[in-house]
Amino acid sequence: MDCKEITYKLYEYIDRELGPDEVVEVEKHLHHCPECFELVRFESGVIKLVRRDCCKDQAPDALLRKIVSILRS
Ligand SMILES: [Zn+2]
């Protein structure tokens, strides 16, 4: 697996959507590639931050009402 493939699979890797074989391949690459390692570290930090802020700012029942209105329309 090269750096290009890592960038393609980055989000799936962070979201743990990759198969076990692919995870091994990604981690093997991260082990010897500081650039990709740093990229994964940075991106997963951003994703965590965005998700936390999103849930904090949005009241769950407001979101639920929005989903229900979408489903009804
Ligand atoms: Zn790399």
Side-chain angles (χ1 to χ4, degrees):
M1 203 173 278
D2 58 19
C3 295
K4 207 171 160 189
E5 278 180 273
I6 297 292
T7 55
Y8 285 138
K9 293 185 185 284
L10 186 63
Y11 294 98
E12 286 172 274
Y13 174 72
I14 292 168
D15 282 335
R16 296 165 201 273
E17 284 169 359
L18 292 177
D21 293 349
E22 283 177 303
V23 171
V24 170
E25 287 299 307
V26 170
E27 286 179 350
K28 222 189 278 175
H29 181 89
L30 295 181
H31 224 72
H32 65 79
C33 181
E35 286 93 39
C36 288
F37 181 81
E38 192 50 41
L39 189 69
V40 168
R41 209 177 61 89
F42 177 76
E43 288 294 336
S44 61
V46 170
I47 288 169
K48 271 181 207 149
L49 202 70
V50 167
R51 288 196 180 143
R52 198 186 58 202
D53 284 353
C54 148
C55 296
K56 188 178 67 191
D57 291 343
Q58 209 151 22
D61 66 320
L63 184 66
L64 198 64
R65 257 178 274 146
K66 201 173 166 188
I67 293 166
V68 169
S69 74
I70 292 166
L71 290 176
R72 281 180 185 160
S73 65

